[in-house]
Amino acid sequence: QVQLVESGGGLVQPGGSLRLSCAASGSGFRVNAMAWYRQAPGKQRDLVAVIYSGGNTNYHDSVKGRFTISGDNAKNAVYLQMNSLKPEDTAVYYCFADVTPFGKLQNYRYWGQGTQVTVSS
């Protein structure tokens, strides 16, 4: 069983910065990818950024140039540095992990509990 523990959300003024962190607890698995999703009230959950085990990354167009995703393979952790935040970035941010247990072929997907990010003056 894998648990994702997030931290780093909060209230920030427009133009400010926040850094989200997420660590996957447990052992006996290989992380294939980790990502951040977000969901604003009344909207669907959207992919914000993803980082694959080889280091490749992808971003939603709305955050390119402002957000940076990074990972720490040794800690099974992922981070999201958010700069130049806008009110429309306000949402609950969810950590996501796609893992494969050692000796298995099937992938398993896990979600964190979510952390609120509010951008407001």
Side-chain angles (χ1 to χ4, degrees):
Q1 187 71 13
V2 175
Q3 285 190 318
L4 301 179
V5 180
E6 303 152 343
S7 62
L11 173 65
V12 64
Q13 292 186 342
S17 298
L18 280 176
R19 185 175 187 252
L20 304 182
S21 300
C22 172
S25 65
S27 60
F29 59 88
R30 177 184 74 249
V31 174
N32 303 309
M34 296 188 77
W36 290 97
Y37 284 73
R38 68 185 180 188
Q39 187 168 21
K43 295 189 176 181
Q44 67 181 22
R45 189 174 297 189
D46 290 328
L47 177 66
V48 176
V50 57
I51 184 166
Y52 298 95
S53 57
N56 290 341
T57 59
N58 277 311
Y59 296 90
H60 191 280
D61 285 345
S62 66
V63 307
K64 286 180 179 177
R66 300 188 298 122
F67 291 10
T68 302
I69 190 170
S70 59
D72 184 333
N73 290 335
K75 297 180 179 179
N76 287 332
V78 64
Y79 310 98
L80 186 68
Q81 179 65 43
M82 304 185 292
N83 298 329
S84 302
L85 282 160
K86 304 175 181 180
E88 51 263 43
D89 294 318
T90 295
V92 177
Y93 284 69
Y94 295 91
C95 179
F96 168 88
D98 182 296
V99 309
T100 302
F102 294 145
K104 304 290 185 181
L105 297 178
Q106 186 176 355
N107 291 11
Y108 292 84
R109 299 178 171 186
Y110 296 91
W111 292 92
Q113 78 283 1
T115 185
Q116 177 70 45
V117 171
T118 302
V119 184
S120 175
S121 55

